[in-house]
Structure formats: structure tokens, C-alpha cells
Amino acid sequence: MTDPAGPRATPTPPTSAAVARRAGVSRATVSYVLNGQAAGRVGERAQARVRAAAEELGYVPHAAARSLRAGRGSIVLLAAPADTVPVLGPLFTRFLAGFQTALHALGYTGVLHGAPTASPLAAARAWAELRPAAVLTLHGPPLDAPAVALLRRAGTAAVLTHGPVAPPGAHTLLLDQREAGLRAGAHLLAGGRRRIGVVLPAEPGLAACAGPRLAGVRAAAAAHPDAEVRPLDLALTEESAARLAAAWPGLGLDAVFAYNDEYAMLLMRALQDAGHTLGVRAPGDVAVVGADDLLLGRLLRPRLTSVRAEITPPERIAGLVDELVRGPGTPPAVHRLGTFRVEARDSG
Amino acid sequence: MTDPAGPRATPTPPTSAAVARRAGVSRATVSYVLNGQAAGRVGERAQARVRAAAEELGYVPHAAARSLRAGRGSIVLLAAPADTVPVLGPLFTRFLAGFQTALHALGYTGVLHGAPTASPLAAARAWAELRPAAVLTLHGPPLDAPAVALLRRAGTAAVLTHGPVAPPGAHTLLLDQREAGLRAGAHLLAGGRRRIGVVLPAEPGLAACAGPRLAGVRAAAAAHPDAEVRPLDLALTEESAARLAAAWPGLGLDAVFAYNDEYAMLLMRALQDAGHTLGVRAPGDVAVVGADDLLLGRLLRPRLTSVRAEITPPERIAGLVDELVRGPGTPPAVHRLGTFRVEARDSG
DNA sequence: TTGAAAGCGATACCAA
DNA sequence: TTGGTATCGCTTTCAA
């Protein structure tokens, strides 16, 4: 009579005590053997018996109990507000993949926690419950001072947050979005453009990147007395793009930094579609620069000029985290997460 | 003399005992108050003192201790092999975002764990250490029987795995990739196409989807005695696409299901670029169908016909997980994660 | 070479 | 209405 539910969840999962009983040794011995501390302490025969018993029972150590006893957990929390994860794109997910693998190699469990969070403090509280060894934020609203203080009080050895400046006690992971705008602006200005539009996405959650990018373009323009920068609202829909395209002649712009390759393509396409009636040619009359260097930018015609982030290898960041966790006294510093450069192609 | 490291990690984070001392009550009382079990047990004044003390100390309960005591954790593990996360695209990340929010509302902590996956069993072991309330796999190699058995023995109340068929003890989350191929094939056949190429991505990690999709197209073609299906290898590079395009006249195909909008776009572009010399017009001579309904498919000209997954609302899946966790006896069943339909546009 | 036992933090039973 | 206390699973010190 087989159980229709298959192998059922045991009322009590096997513990190290169960392994000890089965192997005929004490729980201490089991612990030594299974953690590689058995050299010179436990006999060969006993070791073999313990390993066999663990195998047969399907024993898996209880991470919670272990970290409770050890006083420190091995979870590294990658925090990203749930509602912004989708828009981060392949750049973020690729980093994430490499980072988790690297952390695993160092003995940590990297975990992505999408915070459904009103305030940074509420998010920090939720994270602190897990007593993570480290917390990193890469996107969304950066941690503020109270949030950092809470995490540190909860024993988080390393707190790293993105953004231009970190609150006291937190390290900074710098992927300066201003730089993206700066590079795009400088590129366009070097190409002789002077009246630059900057797309501000209407989508929520992108404002955190969009603001600094705009500021970067402004900074680049400051060097040219005759340059002008104008923000443009755009949602990721064809209707919104058509509206913006229709208004284009009145704006008198000769270039646009479109926040992102997708927005860039959307806008460029709308300008092309409406171009005949408006007398605007893209990219002839208006240079278009995107960002993130997505595949689509290379496939569409004209090929899209794009600002690309060159991210620090995930292994390096993982190594940094490990260092900080092991030396919790390390004074906060700024760590570059990457830099930006322009991949010049046909659109501008 | 302020500490340059800012608020330092306390040697010992505040515990419920600390709160109890500060409030002048016992640990039990603290527990009652902070868990809403205080009604009719603890006096108003004591409650207020406890809450104040917790606030002042920045007390955050220790999830490990709690789940150790409770016997079950509140973590819901979303397992996705790290190396395939990047290729899942916005569809997956959007689902993830909604799912984590929904889980949070139900009192769970949804967490994405990119498995450094040698074998399903090794991955399962890593997950089991966290004693999650539930484990879901949505992509990559599905769990096999030993992996499921391990998780269940470790007390995981609900194990849900994707793929056509689940091992004993696991529920099935069905997003049948065969259906994608079936719909694409049926659409092309209905349009009069008979010699259908099916792109098999060279990128690792996609084979799990690609195989069933090909099988689906074959199934659709089985209804037409004169239909023919031919697999095509393609990597996500312009070189690979150019090679395939150059070989195109010899293949004699009048349609292609390109796995994905990106591959579709890449191939269509290559065919257009090489079309003049080859005498092949896309989409005239060859209909192109993509999948995932990415934005770029709508921006491209001609607009790309695409097979789109309509995913079950994440709240529903979260509710299902909650149900299964609370009724661990529930016999395994198949739960649809979504269905596919064709979004017909200009390319086929 | 092995075992007994303390204790990590939170909870819930039972007694007061 | 409250407090003492056993307990969850594991590690580690100390004693045998």
C-alpha cells in the first residue's frame, strides 16, 4: 500500500541525534565528522559509520540551529525592491547569477529578497530577522541611516548600499548613474549637438536612476555655454512615444539621451513613423543615445549608440563581502561597482 | 570621539531577554505582546512598556530561533539555477516580483535562490538546510525523485516543480512548453506554411525549453501529412545568424519558429541583410514567429508575430502554496502556471 | 578517542 | 495576569 503522496514529510526530520543513534556514537562525534573536525579525534571506523548513517537517513543539517549556535548566519541578502527587478534587465540578472555562484564558493548562501516595502526601515527590519552576514542593495531606494543602524545592531557584519553616498556604518557600492548621463552628454556634445533631450521614464522605480542620469547630462552641458538640456516624459508604450514624437518639432532638439535602449528604440521608431509628416529624420536631425547596450540595439537599424555599464566581476564583489564579514571593524569605504562607457554606433 | 565605522554592530544584538529586562517583565510576556497573543493575558501598562523597550533597543526577532522552536520556517524558496536566470527575461522577473509581494502578505519570506547546480540532489541539499516551508522550481532542470524525497524528509511541506511531470511527492507547476510549439506550429500551418524550421538555441540552459517547443511544433505538424519540421541551430550572435541565413536557400523552408523574440529578430534581420543576394524575402518567403512577446517585437518592422505566455496571477500561486503548507497531506496535483497564445502581427 | 552537557533565542505549557 | 522552564537542533568545551 503505497502512500499516494509519495515519500511523506516525516513528522520529525532526521536530526544529528538520529544519526548518532544509528551510528552508535554521540551527537558530538557526528558533528565533528560532518564538519571535517574529526582528524585525530574520531576513529576511522566511527567516521565511516557516521557518514553511512547520515547518508541513509538523508540527514541535512539545520541551518537555523547552526547559525543560532554559531551566533552568525551565512546568508548574504541581495535586496532589490520587487517592483523594480523586472526593469533592471539582463545586466542585473547576469550579475546576480555570477554573484550567487561566487558566494557559494565562499561558503555563503546568496539570496535575492525582493522587498515589498514602504519604508527602508521596514525593509531593514524584515531583512534583519534573517540575521544575514551581509546585506547589499543594488537598486531602488538606498538604505537610510536608521535602516543601516538597525541592521548593524542586529549583527549584520557588512552593509553595502548603492547610491552616491551611504549613511554612516554602511559601505558604498558605487555605480554612479550620473556618470552614464555624463558620458552620453559628452558624446553628444562632442558630436556637435547642443539641444539635448533627456528621457525621464514614467515607469515607477526608475526615477532613482533617471534623476542622476539627467544630472549627469546637465553636468556635461555645463561645459558648453550654448548647450541646453531638456527633460522629456515618456512611458514605455507606443501611444506615449507617438505623443512625444508629435510634439517633437516644437521642441527643437537635435539629440536625445533616452535613458535606456528600449526607450531609445521606442522613441526612434515613433520619430521614424511620424517623421514623414513632421519633417524630422532620426538619426539625421536628432541623434539618439540609449543605455545598457541591449541586444536589440545592435539588431535594429540604424544600430543604436548606447551607454554601457562595465560591471565589476561578481567574484570581486563576493570577495569583498567575505573580507568585510570576516573583518567587521573595517571602516566604511566606497567600492566601485562599475563604470560607464559609450558604445558608439549609427544612431548618434 | 565618534566611531569612524558609525553605529557599530553590537557584540550581542538585542534579544527578547534584553527587552524583558528593560521592560521589567519576563521573556514570556515579551513574546506574547510582540506576537499579538497578549489579549486578556498581559496588562495594558505592561504591553506599552514592552513595546517601548523593543522600540528603543531596536529589537528584531531572530528568525532562526523562532523557526527552530516552531519546527517550521517561513521561507519560501524560489529555485532557479543561477546560470539561467538571465535568459528568462522580464516574464520571469515580473512574476517573481508579484509572487514575493503576495507571499509577504501571507506571512512568508519569498526568496530567490540561484542554485550552483551540479545535480538536482546537491541543490536540494543546499535548499533543505534552510528548512523552507516550500520549494518551487520554475525553470532549469526539474527536481528528480531523490531530490524531492530529500526535501520532504527535511520537512518541506510543499514541493512544487515545473515540467511536464513531477516525481512522486511533488506538485506540478505546468507551463507546458510543448504548448508554445503547438500554438506556433498550428498558426503557421493555418497560414498555409508547410516547411517549418524550429530554432534550437545554442545557449546552455535553454535546452529544457527548446526541446518541448520543438516537440510541440512536431505535434502540430503531425496533423498535416505534407508538413515538415526541421530543427535549426542558432546562437545569439550576428555571426551565427549570418551563417544560418547564408545556408537558407538550401533549406527550402517557408516558415520558422524562432524560440524567442530575440532569436526571431536576430534571424529575421540576418535574412533581410542577406536577402538581396540570396533572393529570400522575410517575411514574404518565410514567415517568422517568435515567443515571449517582448517589446522589441512590436518595435521591429515588420512587427513580430509572437507566442505569448499568459501567466497565472502570482497571488493565486502564492495562495496555493499557503494552502499546501497548511495542509501538508494534500495529494500532489497538477497546477497550471499559465497557457500560451499567439499574438499575430506582421511577420507571420 | 568519545561522551555529557551547556547554551544560542524564541515560544508555549504549566504553575503561581 | 504573570513568571519559570523545557524545548527545538546544533556546536563546542570540558571531563572521562
Side-chain angles (χ1 to χ4, degrees):
Chain A
M1 239 177 62
T2 55
D3 185 335
R8 209 186 359 182
T10 319
T12 57
T15 70
S16 75
V19 175
R21 261 196 312 278
R22 196 173 224 278
V25 299
S26 76
R27 314 210 313 284
T29 304
V30 171
S31 180
Y32 288 136
V33 172
L34 265 34
N35 291 300
Q37 314 286 344
R41 310 190 64 130
V42 182
E44 285 298 332
R45 282 185 50 75
Q47 287 196 39
R49 282 210 314 281
V50 167
R51 269 186 249 278
E55 181 67 31
E56 287 159 22
L57 292 175
Y59 170 72
V60 176
H62 194 306
R66 171 180 289 167
S67 62
L68 183 58
R69 170 66 222 224
R72 57 189 198 84
S74 62
I75 288 182
V76 171
L77 208 66
L78 261 175
D83 52 340
T84 74
V85 170
V87 300
L88 293 180
L91 204 140
F92 176 74
T93 47
R94 193 165 314 146
F95 174 84
L96 179 67
F99 189 60
Q100 289 193 334
T101 305
L103 284 175
H104 184 79
L106 292 170
Y108 298 94
T109 301
V111 130
L112 177 68
H113 190 241
T117 177
S119 75
L121 189 61
R125 194 183 308 277
W127 302 333
E129 290 197 7
L130 298 175
R131 295 293 191 274
V135 169
L136 290 82
T137 74
L138 295 179
H139 196 260
L143 295 171
D144 56 15
V148 171
L150 181 78
L151 284 169
R152 305 232 52 181
R153 263 203 310 271
T156 312
V159 177
L160 300 91
T161 189
H162 65 287
V165 53
H171 295 256
T172 306
L173 280 176
L174 193 61
L175 183 63
D176 190 359
Q177 301 292 340
R178 278 182 82 257
E179 194 192 343
L182 201 68
R183 297 256 182 273
H187 175 80
L188 289 169
L189 289 162
R193 311 288 175 161
R194 286 299 177 270
R195 297 181 50 81
I196 306 177
V198 175
V199 168
L200 296 181
E203 276 67 26
L206 269 53
C209 283
R213 287 187 177 185
L214 172 59
V217 177
R218 288 216 159 102
H224 292 256
D226 55 337
E228 198 175 320
V229 175
R230 162 152 198 166
L232 305 168
D233 291 314
L234 177 62
L236 207 50
T237 66
E238 295 185 78
E239 296 71 35
S240 173
R243 263 197 306 279
L244 181 53
W248 205 260
L251 296 169
L253 300 173
D254 61 8
V256 59
F257 174 45
Y259 178 75
N260 182 320
D261 283 357
E262 288 200 322
Y263 288 89
M265 292 307 321
L266 183 64
L267 178 56
M268 194 157 77
R269 177 62 66 199
L271 287 172
Q272 287 175 345
D273 282 357
H276 312 104
T277 62
L278 298 174
V280 177
R281 287 170 314 125
D285 297 324
V286 46
V288 179
V289 171
D292 297 353
D293 194 23
L294 301 182
L295 179 71
L296 69 88
R298 265 163 290 173
L299 296 184
L300 287 177
R301 295 296 184 274
R303 288 181 162 89
L304 190 64
T305 294
S306 190
V307 180
R308 174 172 59 193
E310 310 214 298
I311 302 288
T312 304
E315 296 77 17
R316 281 255 285 283
I317 306 293
L320 168 65
V321 167
D322 182 42
E323 235 170 73
L324 296 178
V325 167
R326 294 157 70 145
T330 316
V334 175
H335 309 277
R336 284 204 91 88
L337 191 55
T339 57
F340 289 94
R341 29 173 290 200
V342 173
E343 188 74 29
R345 284 193 276 257
D346 311 327
S347 73
Chain B
M1 234 173 76
T2 56
D3 185 335
R8 212 188 354 184
T10 319
T12 58
T15 69
S16 75
V19 175
R21 262 196 312 278
R22 196 173 224 278
V25 299
S26 77
R27 314 211 314 284
T29 305
V30 170
S31 181
Y32 288 135
V33 172
L34 266 34
N35 291 299
Q37 315 285 344
R41 306 190 67 131
V42 182
E44 285 297 333
R45 283 186 49 77
Q47 287 195 40
R49 282 212 312 282
V50 167
R51 270 186 249 279
E55 182 66 32
E56 288 159 21
L57 293 174
Y59 170 72
V60 176
H62 194 307
R66 173 181 287 166
S67 64
L68 180 59
R69 171 64 225 225
R72 57 187 198 86
S74 62
I75 288 182
V76 171
L77 208 66
L78 262 175
D83 51 341
T84 75
V85 170
V87 300
L88 293 180
L91 203 138
F92 176 74
T93 46
R94 193 166 315 149
F95 174 83
L96 179 66
F99 190 59
Q100 289 193 334
T101 304
L103 284 175
H104 184 78
L106 290 170
Y108 299 94
T109 301
V111 130
L112 177 68
H113 190 237
T117 176
S119 75
L121 189 61
R125 193 182 308 277
W127 303 332
E129 290 197 5
L130 298 175
R131 294 294 191 274
V135 168
L136 290 82
T137 73
L138 296 179
H139 196 257
L143 294 170
D144 56 15
V148 171
L150 181 78
L151 284 169
R152 305 233 52 184
R153 263 203 310 270
T156 312
V159 178
L160 300 90
T161 189
H162 65 286
V165 53
H171 294 256
T172 305
L173 280 176
L174 193 60
L175 182 65
D176 190 359
Q177 300 292 339
R178 276 181 82 260
E179 195 191 341
L182 201 67
R183 298 258 181 271
H187 175 80
L188 289 168
L189 289 161
R193 311 287 175 161
R194 286 299 177 270
R195 298 180 49 82
I196 305 176
V198 175
V199 168
L200 297 181
E203 277 66 26
L206 270 52
C209 284
R213 287 187 176 185
L214 172 59
V217 178
R218 287 215 159 101
H224 293 254
D226 54 337
E228 200 175 318
V229 173
R230 162 150 198 168
L232 305 169
D233 291 314
L234 178 61
L236 207 49
T237 65
E238 295 184 80
E239 297 70 37
S240 175
R243 264 197 306 279
L244 181 53
W248 204 260
L251 295 169
L253 300 173
D254 61 6
V256 59
F257 173 44
Y259 177 75
N260 184 322
D261 283 357
E262 288 200 323
Y263 288 89
M265 178 170 183
L266 182 65
L267 178 56
M268 195 158 75
R269 175 63 65 201
L271 288 172
Q272 287 175 344
D273 282 355
H276 311 105
T277 63
L278 297 173
V280 177
R281 287 170 313 124
D285 297 325
V286 46
V288 178
V289 172
D292 297 352
D293 194 22
L294 302 182
L295 177 72
L296 68 88
R298 268 163 286 172
L299 296 183
L300 192 62
R301 295 296 183 272
R303 287 180 161 88
L304 191 63
T305 294
S306 189
V307 179
R308 174 173 57 193
E310 310 215 298
I311 301 288
T312 304
E315 296 76 18
R316 281 256 284 283
I317 305 294
L320 169 65
V321 167
D322 182 43
E323 234 171 74
L324 296 177
V325 167
R326 295 157 67 144
T330 316
V334 174
H335 310 277
R336 285 204 90 87
L337 191 54
T339 58
F340 290 94
R341 30 172 291 199
V342 172
E343 188 73 32
R345 284 193 277 257
D346 311 328
S347 72

